[in-house]
């Protein structure tokens, strides 16, 4: 597999510390509000990456944090804790906010067919590990105390800036939130490892530490969680491109300083989802959520399909027109798959294997999901039986996760029901229960054959189920009463 590495700024053959096994870390959400669909684009692409690695034969241990403390409104260690901000907005406790929006996040993921990582760790559950990590950095001379807080000393590093090819906006510290100078820092690039009450008197969540009552900085949380669950050698770190600086830059600084050797070999960054007004952001007030898409009548998987049609390293522009186009294409694709006959077979395993290898090559070129979508249409045109084509599509959908066969089967079942309901010139209308439709049809046919005793028996059976049947010209309708 070839994958672009943000740390080296080139496509590289993806290799791992332990052959055949991937230690993967995903920056999770800060659970102070709903995730907007721009956030979820990153999680969709990371989900496809994990599933492709498994498809390609790797064992994967994927770890994700939940940030429920320490992420300030500015990435420059200034402003208000986002969790406290959310709690004040909704007049709830921080932990109530954290639980509510964590549940909402995973509900969105379920709707988008995003697999839950193997390990999901809220930051508040590993405070002792963060303290140990900060103590180690102090002992090694990479951190210092100032104003009651503990800071990482970036002047000790030979190289601090790792991801220096990103847009200036992404590299600007807190540019979207406004930056206040922290006079305790020796250098503007230094960052907080542990805050104490000298920084924020009203912090809701705080713990005892060797440096006073306080709470961890945002950056130390990801390093601590990854080192605990992924070990000292991380193969693949994922996140949005706006996390590259300062968050991921600071993770590298503190992790490698603590363990004393290179930490993560490959960095995967997903670019922004933009609107016509610019990058999507919660700070702008209104923002687009999965729930809003559903309210407007869109299947959330249409949004996943929309994302897969573009490359993860390109900005993607969201408009309702673009989503409508994706919805139309997705629905047509499902109908074409529904037209395939599952009984047209046996499955030709040699043909499935041939298409599978081609798919691995296409998508394995820097996670080219657009080619993955094209491969679906190629499979539909394969010169083989329906059962084999469905097997190929099912194989591809292990990675793309568009629920193609399930949705096609539902369309096929609905078509079958409609056909059964109109047999013999009889039209049955009701509440969409195939079993009831069948009984009403049997009653109609019994009456037409002048077998009134059988018709009355079926009527009584339906009545016992709470079903009321109304005879109509050329058929019948039913409803539950």
């Amino acid at each position: 597999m070839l994958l672009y590495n943000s740390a080296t700024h080139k496509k590289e053959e993806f290799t791992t510390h332990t052959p055949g096994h991937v230690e993967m870390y995903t920056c999770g959400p800060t659970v102070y509000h709903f995730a907007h669909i721009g956030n979820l684009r990153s999680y969709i692409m990371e989900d496809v990456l994990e599933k492709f690695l498994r498809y390609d034969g790797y064992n994967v241990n994927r770890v994700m944090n939940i940030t429920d403390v320490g992420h300030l409104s500015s990435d420059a260690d200034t402003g208000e804790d986002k969790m406290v901000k959310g709690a004040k907005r909704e007049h709830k406790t921080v932990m109530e906010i954290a639980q509510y929006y964590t549940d909402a996040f995973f509900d969105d993921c379920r709707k988008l067919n995003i697999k839950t990582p193997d390990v999901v760790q809220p930051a508040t559950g590993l405070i002792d590990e963060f303290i140990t990590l900060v103590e180690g950095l102090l002992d090694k001379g990479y951190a210092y105390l100032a104003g009651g807080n503990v800071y990482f000393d970036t002047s000790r590093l030979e190289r601090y800036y790792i991801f220096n090819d990103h847009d200036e906006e992404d590299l600007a510290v807190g540019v979207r939130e406004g930056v206040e100078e922290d006079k305790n820092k020796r250098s503007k690039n230094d960052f907080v490892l542990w805050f104490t009450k000298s920084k924020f008197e009203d912090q809701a969540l705080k713990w005892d530490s060797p440096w006073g009552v306080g709470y961890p900085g945002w950056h130390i949380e990801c390093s601590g969680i990854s080192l605990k669950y992924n070990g000292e050698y991380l193969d693949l770190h994922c996140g949005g491109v706006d996390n590259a600086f300062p968050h991921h830059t600071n993770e590298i600084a503190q992790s490698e300083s603590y363990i004393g050797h290179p930490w993560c070999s490959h960095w995967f960054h997903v670019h922004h989802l933009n609107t016509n007004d610019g990058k999507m952001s919660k700070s702008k007030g209104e923002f687009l959520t999965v729930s809003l898409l559903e309210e407007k009548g869109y299947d959330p998987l249409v949004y996943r399909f929309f994302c897969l049609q573009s490359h993860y390293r390109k900005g993607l522009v969201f408009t309702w027109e673009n989503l409508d186009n994706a919805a139309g294409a997705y629905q047509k694709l499902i109908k074409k798959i529904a037209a395939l006959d599952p009984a047209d077979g046996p499955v030709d395993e040699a043909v499935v294997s041939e298409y599978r290898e081609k798919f691995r090559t296409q998508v394995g070129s820097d996670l080219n999901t657009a080619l993955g979508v094209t491969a679906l249409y190629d499979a539909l045109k394969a010169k083989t039986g329906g059962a084999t084509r469905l097997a190929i599509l099912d194989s591809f959908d292990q990675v793309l996760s568009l629920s193609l066969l399930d949705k096609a089967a539902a369309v096929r079942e609905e078509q079958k029901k409609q056909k059964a309901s109109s047999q013999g010139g009889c039209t049955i209308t009701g509440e969409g229960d195939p079993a009831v439709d069948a009984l009403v049809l049997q009653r109609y046919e019994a009456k037409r054959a002048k077998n009134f005793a059988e018709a009355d028996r079926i009527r009584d059976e339906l009545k016992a189920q709470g079903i009321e049947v109304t005879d109509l010209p050329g058929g019948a309708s039913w409803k539950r009463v």
Side-chain angles (χ1 to χ4, degrees):
M1 182 182 185
L2 289 176
L3 198 61
Y4 184 85
N5 188 348
S6 301
T8 60
H9 319 307
K10 61 184 180 182
K11 290 183 189 178
E12 298 175 348
E13 182 179 351
F14 180 70
T15 58
T16 59
H17 182 73
T18 301
H21 179 81
V22 181
E23 288 294 342
M24 179 177 181
Y25 185 84
T26 299
C27 273
T30 301
V31 285
Y32 74 107
H33 215 319
F34 294 109
H36 61 62
I37 61 173
N39 303 138
L40 290 163
R41 182 196 184 192
S42 292
Y43 295 110
I44 288 170
M45 303 313 295
E46 292 158 358
D47 177 68
V48 175
L49 176 57
E50 177 193 355
K51 288 171 178 173
F52 181 80
L53 290 169
R54 294 181 188 276
Y55 189 85
D56 205 29
Y58 285 99
N59 294 315
V60 181
N61 176 40
R62 183 179 174 198
V63 179
M64 186 174 76
N65 69 302
I66 298 291
T67 299
D68 53 0
V69 66
H71 190 176
L72 305 187
S73 56
S74 164
D75 290 347
D77 297 329
T78 62
E80 192 172 18
D81 186 311
K82 290 186 176 185
M83 296 304 302
V84 174
K85 185 177 178 181
K88 287 180 178 178
R89 181 187 66 239
E90 300 186 22
H91 307 291
K92 296 179 181 177
T93 68
V94 169
M95 295 317 293
E96 286 172 340
I97 287 288
Q99 188 61 57
Y100 179 80
Y101 287 113
T102 297
D103 291 344
F105 172 75
F106 283 113
D107 192 42
D108 287 343
C109 288
R110 178 185 57 78
K111 293 172 182 176
L112 291 164
N113 282 351
I114 296 171
K115 175 184 173 290
T116 301
D118 302 284
V119 176
V120 177
Q121 177 63 60
T124 50
L126 286 187
I127 299 301
D128 289 345
E129 282 81 355
F130 305 148
I131 290 173
T132 298
L133 195 49
V134 174
E135 287 178 321
L137 290 169
L138 281 165
D139 291 344
K140 294 172 184 286
Y142 285 101
Y144 59 90
L145 280 161
N149 304 313
V150 184
Y151 294 85
F152 186 90
D153 185 356
T154 55
S155 70
R156 291 290 314 278
L157 303 175
E158 290 185 15
R159 183 188 179 200
Y160 173 60
Y161 294 104
I162 304 297
F163 311 107
N164 56 4
D165 67 337
H166 292 302
D167 295 338
E168 185 176 348
E169 181 185 355
D170 296 324
L171 294 174
V173 177
V175 68
R176 293 168 294 280
E177 306 285 355
V179 177
E180 305 164 16
E181 184 182 359
D182 185 341
K183 298 186 184 302
N184 291 319
K185 292 183 179 182
R186 295 175 183 172
S187 163
K188 68 175 183 177
N189 291 327
D190 293 354
F191 54 92
V192 179
L193 300 170
W194 186 269
F195 292 104
T196 66
K197 61 182 181 180
S198 64
K199 185 80 174 178
F200 296 110
E201 292 286 353
D202 62 346
Q203 175 63 23
L205 298 177
K206 43 186 175 281
W207 296 265
D208 288 329
S209 81
W211 319 286
V213 174
Y215 61 99
W218 176 37
H219 312 300
I220 202 69
E221 295 171 5
C222 282
S223 289
I225 291 169
S226 181
L227 287 171
K228 179 177 177 64
Y229 294 109
N230 294 118
E232 290 191 1
Y233 292 94
L234 183 62
D235 299 305
L236 181 59
H237 197 308
C238 305
V241 68
D242 50 339
N243 287 147
F245 186 89
H247 184 47
H248 292 163
T249 303
N250 292 348
E251 280 188 67
I252 294 170
Q254 63 201 9
S255 297
E256 294 192 351
S257 298
Y258 180 78
I259 60 180
H261 59 71
W263 173 48
C264 180
S265 58
H266 208 106
W267 291 82
F268 176 92
H269 288 112
V270 181
H271 281 239
H272 296 308
L273 180 74
N274 301 308
T275 65
N276 288 333
D277 298 325
K279 185 175 82 72
M280 199 169 293
S281 169
K282 292 187 183 74
S283 62
K284 293 180 180 179
E286 292 185 356
F287 56 92
L288 299 170
T289 62
V290 170
S291 295
L292 180 61
L293 299 186
E294 288 182 304
E295 287 170 16
K296 290 182 176 290
Y298 295 96
D299 183 335
L301 291 183
V302 165
Y303 177 63
R304 185 179 178 106
F305 185 71
F306 170 68
C307 290
L308 297 186
Q309 291 176 306
S310 177
H311 196 267
Y312 76 91
R313 284 198 293 118
K314 293 181 179 178
L316 181 59
V317 177
F318 177 88
T319 65
W320 293 111
E321 181 182 4
N322 288 344
L323 193 63
D324 284 338
N325 291 337
Y330 181 67
Q331 289 159 7
K332 287 178 182 177
L333 176 61
I334 296 298
K335 287 179 180 177
K336 287 181 178 180
I337 297 171
L340 298 176
D341 182 1
D344 179 20
V347 174
D348 188 330
E349 295 294 349
V351 173
V352 175
S353 179
E354 175 189 340
Y355 274 82
R356 182 184 172 95
E357 286 305 308
K358 185 178 178 183
F359 181 81
R360 287 177 61 194
T361 300
Q362 291 171 321
V363 180
S365 178
D366 198 20
L367 204 69
N368 194 327
T369 53
L371 284 181
V373 170
T374 300
L376 297 173
Y377 295 95
D378 292 340
L380 284 168
K381 295 181 287 187
K383 297 185 184 305
T384 185
T388 301
R389 280 179 279 175
L390 286 167
I392 295 168
L393 292 163
D394 188 38
S395 175
F396 295 172
D397 212 29
Q398 292 174 32
V399 175
L400 303 179
S401 294
L402 294 166
S403 297
L404 298 174
L405 267 63
D406 287 345
K407 289 187 178 291
V411 170
R412 214 178 284 119
E413 186 61 34
E414 181 62 26
Q415 291 170 342
K416 182 180 177 182
K417 183 177 69 176
Q418 291 173 1
K419 182 179 179 181
S421 296
S422 60
Q423 285 177 348
C426 171
T427 301
I428 304 299
T429 59
E431 298 178 11
D433 187 326
V436 177
D437 286 348
L439 280 173
V440 174
L441 179 60
Q442 287 174 30
R443 177 179 174 274
Y444 174 84
E445 290 174 341
K447 286 183 68 176
R448 193 168 63 171
K450 300 189 185 306
N451 187 351
F452 298 112
E454 176 66 7
D456 289 345
R457 186 196 67 76
I458 296 172
R459 180 199 62 199
D460 292 341
E461 182 181 343
L462 289 164
K463 188 175 181 180
Q465 296 179 33
I467 304 295
E468 181 182 275
V469 180
T470 301
D471 291 321
L472 300 169
S477 68
W478 64 267
K479 64 180 179 180
R480 288 186 171 86
V481 294

